[in-house]
Amino acid sequence: MNKSALIFGVTGQDGSYLSRLLLKKGYVVHGVIRRSSSINTKRIDDIYQEPFTKKKYFILHYGDVTDGSSVFDLIKKIKPKEIYNLAAQSHVAVSFQVPEYTSNADALGSLRILDSIVKINPKIKYYQAGSSEMYGKVQSFPQTEKTPFYPRSPYAVSKVYAHWITINYRESYNLFACNGILFNHESPLRGETFVTKKIVKALCKIKQKKQRRLYLGNIYSKRDWGHAEDYVVAMWKILQYKKPDDWVICTGKQYSVKEFINLVAKKINLDISWKGKGLKEKAFSKDNKIIIEIKKRYFRPSEVDNLKGNSSKAKKILKWKPVKDLNNLIQDMVTYELKKLSNEK
Ligand code: NAP
Ligand code: F7E
């Protein structure tokens, strides 16, 4: 009998990579998609369009984590062995614009799934997509499973709720419910408005003279960036371990947004030089044209300045470690973008 998994958030970056991983492992994968006026399945279309024989292994259902009855009915009907809750309004800056919806989906969404598990079958294993954003204004360095949280956005506050409700249900109802505390992870499938994708896409276009400028916010924040392909392996390993627990998943290396820009520029042989400070800081091309400007509108009401994790626990116990470093990540993202641009010709 194949194992079955239910993925909330299957159309997102991680949902797409996780689906591929589980299908390769022989799972039947059920994914929840939201009704949308425009098509939102582009990251999983190639999986779904596999020959007919494979379709019975990858099944999509309409649902929404803000709709408790759809969550309950899906879990009851599908009877999965494992549930991965990746569904979220995942953009930190947007969470300041839509705080109530973000809290409903990201915090209460987790509660709805956990509560359905208790009522339907407490043996179902549950993975909660936690975030390094929960550390926010960091209380110690590098961050581990023991570092206290200090969330700095409605998104991060919601994720802290989801983290603790997962622990509470584990302790109260003896559920196999786990938190992954994942640091930033990127890929060619990253959403277009996250900073790495925005930078790679724009610099590739600027190099080919298809775009003049890139506008960014705070380029001095530092992140621990990994590759999504590695991080979904950790999600799976977390649910295969003999007992439920909470796990930090990261690379342990840190770069600023500005360093990321410089590495991408170097990778595509785009000469850039920086001048000015603060909102007046700009990057110039070899022929002295402004190619990057800083805009106030991309700054957040409160920022997370400095994230760097320590995933020794996952390394030691789960035998997980990242395979791809930042150079591999940038290479993958650049290759994807350049191919897309050449197809547009
Ligand atoms: P993503 O690309 O933004 O994907 C989010 C997914 O959630 C999409 O499939 C989206 O559907 C779905 N979704 C949003 N609201 C929903 C709702 N109300 N009901 C059902 N589905 C809903 O995010 P990601 O980068 O793959 O991240 C996956 C999860 O890990 C998220 O929970 C995120 O917060 C968390 N996380 C991400 C990172 C990271 O660096 N990527 C790090 C730590 C934690 P649509 O396609 O229809 O919008
Ligand atoms: O920002 C700065 C911005 O939006 C990274 C989500 O997946 O990872 C992600 O959250 C940094 C921030 O990611 C722009 O201020 C500058 O300091 O790519 P980001 P994030 O906020 O770290 C965590 C772990 C999650 O859980 C989230 O779901 O870059 N930045 N200029 C900018 N950021 C954006 N988006 N756009 C800019 O123009």
Side-chain angles (χ1 to χ4, degrees):
M1 268 279 279
N2 293 72
K3 259 190 172 183
S4 61
L6 172 58
I7 304 177
F8 288 92
V10 74
T11 54
Q13 169 189 257
D14 292 3
S16 171
Y17 283 106
L18 182 64
S19 298
R20 285 164 219 273
L21 177 79
L22 297 181
L23 287 165
K24 242 191 243 161
K25 290 188 181 296
Y27 278 68
V28 174
V29 176
H30 294 265
V32 179
I33 59 168
R34 301 192 288 173
R35 145 73 193 158
S36 155
S37 67
S38 51
I39 290 166
N40 61 358
T41 55
K42 70 175 181 352
R43 294 190 183 96
I44 51 169
D45 281 343
D46 62 314
I47 312 176
Y48 198 65
Q49 284 154 9
E50 290 274 301
F52 178 70
T53 45
K54 290 225 174 131
K55 271 198 181 161
K56 64 178 195 271
Y57 294 107
F58 189 58
I59 304 153
L60 300 178
H61 310 261
Y62 281 110
D64 195 303
V65 293
T66 62
D67 180 329
S69 69
S70 80
V71 169
F72 184 89
D73 289 349
L74 281 171
I75 298 174
K76 195 157 183 221
K77 182 173 90 179
I78 295 163
K79 300 185 180 59
K81 290 266 184 292
E82 297 171 5
I83 294 180
Y84 295 84
N85 178 24
L86 313 181
Q89 189 304 93
S90 74
H91 203 285
V92 174
V94 173
S95 80
F96 289 97
Q97 316 296 322
V98 282
E100 193 177 323
Y101 172 73
T102 302
S103 308
N104 192 1
D106 300 12
L108 295 182
S110 312
L111 173 65
R112 291 183 186 102
I113 300 172
L114 286 161
D115 206 56
S116 301
I117 291 176
V118 171
K119 290 180 176 131
I120 295 165
N121 175 8
K123 288 206 160 56
I124 297 172
K125 293 181 175 181
Y126 176 78
Y127 173 84
Q128 167 59 31
S131 164
S132 53
E133 281 294 299
M134 298 189 293
Y135 297 120
K137 192 169 175 180
V138 293
Q139 301 295 294
S140 65
F141 203 81
Q143 295 85 51
T144 70
E145 291 80 2
K146 293 199 166 71
T147 305
F149 298 139
Y150 192 138
R152 297 270 282 168
S153 63
Y155 168 79
V157 172
S158 306
K159 287 287 183 182
V160 172
Y161 174 90
H163 179 90
W164 279 107
I165 201 68
T166 300
I167 294 174
N168 179 253
Y169 268 56
R170 175 164 85 213
E171 292 175 352
S172 308
Y173 304 109
N174 201 22
L175 295 191
F176 197 108
C178 308
N179 288 296
I181 307 173
L182 273 53
F183 282 63
N184 297 53
H185 46 282
E186 322 291 309
S187 74
L189 301 185
R190 187 54 146 153
E192 308 276 327
T193 59
F194 294 97
V195 83
T196 55
K197 180 73 164 180
K198 197 172 155 182
I199 292 165
V200 172
K201 193 175 167 187
L203 293 191
C204 288
K205 281 182 142 183
I206 289 170
K207 170 81 184 170
Q208 297 195 359
K209 306 217 178 306
K210 289 178 176 155
Q211 181 173 330
R212 282 178 47 232
R213 273 185 207 173
L214 165 64
Y215 300 99
L216 292 170
N218 176 16
I219 56 171
Y220 289 97
S221 59
K222 294 179 183 156
R223 291 290 183 273
D224 175 336
W225 279 296
H227 198 301
E229 215 176 313
D230 284 337
Y231 286 37
V232 299
V233 174
M235 293 177 189
W236 176 76
K237 283 191 169 227
I238 286 169
L239 289 199
Q240 310 317 307
Y241 187 55
K242 62 183 180 225
K243 67 181 182 65
D245 207 342
D246 308 320
W247 307 88
V248 162
I249 301 298
C250 61
T251 69
K253 296 204 171 72
Q254 185 197 53
Y255 299 84
S256 68
V257 174
K258 188 172 173 179
E259 283 170 316
F260 185 88
I261 297 169
N262 290 335
L263 287 169
V264 175
K266 196 167 169 209
K267 178 71 74 191
I268 59 172
N269 295 319
L270 178 72
D271 274 323
I272 63 169
S273 56
W274 294 89
K275 282 179 204 149
K277 275 201 169 135
L279 289 175
K280 295 214 166 94
E281 186 164 10
K282 293 178 178 44
F284 292 83
S285 61
K286 209 162 69 176
D287 51 356
N288 217 23
K289 297 221 165 76
I290 298 169
I291 52 175
I292 301 177
E293 272 192 84
I294 305 302
K295 288 282 172 204
K296 210 166 171 214
R297 68 172 179 272
Y298 291 116
F299 283 73
R300 294 158 188 197
S302 54
E303 177 61 284
V304 171
D305 294 311
N306 199 2
L307 291 174
K308 179 174 152 172
N310 174 345
S311 57
S312 302
K313 180 178 165 187
K315 206 171 178 180
K316 189 168 161 221
I317 302 175
L318 299 178
K319 312 282 177 234
W320 177 88
K321 64 174 171 41
V323 177
K324 295 194 169 181
D325 64 11
L326 191 70
N327 183 44
N328 303 137
L329 171 67
I330 291 175
Q331 183 65 60
D332 277 9
M333 294 180 80
V334 161
T335 305
Y336 178 90
E337 230 46 69
L338 293 178
K339 190 169 168 213
K340 215 170 129 203
L341 283 173
S342 75
N343 288 342
E344 281 166 13
K345 270 182 192 159

